Amino acid sequence: MMENSDSPDQDMIAWFACYRFLAREAECLDENRVTDWLDFLTPDIRYEMPILLTRLRGEDPVAENGWHMKETYESLQARVARLGTDSAWGEDPPTRTRRVIGNVRAGLWNNGEIEVKSNLLLYLGRGDSADYTVLAGERQDVLRKGEQGLRLARRLVMLSHTTLPTQSIGVFL
């Protein structure tokens, strides 16, 4: 059952709630508050970033069983916990990031959930080097209403890259 009416006001309210959530999440991650970021997630989250292949028009570009990330809440918790240890040398000092979230498209509320698509540009800088990496992609999210407000229940990141311009991805998109 859809919870939205055909009201443009309700559509704008839903869009703004989604946009505000995504902006706050980006701020949290850009400030490297990854422990706080876990509070943005539902316990049953699916967080996935498949490997994309170059295929002919009309063919599915998603690699079968190929993932840059395929995470659950427990695996995300473990990754965040590891960042607080001496064994996370790849993120010490942490990567400097800046996320630009745009083209936010919110669907209709359905049983307390809403599908949201957004485009992402992610700047990654390391150490004192002037070198940097930019990742681009689309995020396909499901946000869920809860007692604490909106929470991320699903994220599918479809990068625009078939070959990553970086050795690894140690940050969350």
Side-chain angles (χ1 to χ4, degrees):
M1 180 173 131
M2 300 294 179
E3 296 174 23
N4 274 27
S5 68
D6 290 330
S7 164
D9 290 343
Q10 292 301 313
D11 291 346
M12 183 58 77
I13 291 168
W15 176 88
F16 183 73
C18 294
Y19 177 82
R20 186 172 62 180
F21 174 88
L22 295 174
R24 287 179 177 167
E25 180 200 22
E27 177 182 44
C28 185
L29 289 170
D30 286 340
E31 292 176 354
N32 199 34
R33 294 185 290 117
V34 292
T35 302
D36 295 341
W37 175 70
L38 292 172
D39 293 336
F40 285 77
L41 313 177
T42 64
D44 63 340
I45 185 166
R46 289 186 358 229
Y47 186 102
E48 301 172 343
M49 184 171 28
I51 294 173
L52 298 183
L53 305 171
T54 301
R55 298 275 174 89
L56 295 175
R57 191 179 323 265
E59 294 181 339
D60 187 1
V62 176
E64 188 175 331
N65 296 319
W67 306 91
H68 295 295
M69 293 183 194
K70 189 170 185 176
E71 308 281 354
T72 64
Y73 188 80
E74 290 76 19
S75 66
L76 291 168
Q77 270 186 315
R79 285 185 59 190
V80 166
R82 185 176 171 276
L83 290 173
T85 70
D86 291 338
S87 65
W89 55 267
E91 280 299 315
D92 193 16
T95 301
R96 289 181 313 282
T97 63
R98 187 64 54 207
R99 289 161 181 79
V100 179
I101 310 299
N103 295 358
V104 175
R105 288 104 55 211
L108 299 176
W109 288 105
N110 186 3
N111 295 321
E113 293 186 343
I114 189 167
E115 293 182 8
V116 183
K117 290 183 179 180
S118 62
N119 291 350
L120 168 72
L121 281 178
L122 175 60
Y123 164 91
L124 302 154
R126 300 280 308 150
D128 292 329
S129 171
D131 294 335
Y132 60 90
T133 302
V134 175
L135 296 176
E138 178 184 75
R139 299 186 311 182
Q140 300 171 11
D141 295 338
V142 174
L143 302 182
R144 184 180 301 150
K145 285 182 187 177
E147 292 179 17
Q148 310 296 312
L150 291 178
R151 295 292 177 260
L152 181 63
R154 174 156 165 59
R155 171 159 291 157
L156 179 65
V157 180
M158 303 295 284
L159 290 178
S160 297
H161 310 266
T162 54
T163 303
L164 292 180
T166 182
Q167 293 289 326
S168 63
I169 300 176
V171 299
F172 303 105
L173 285 84

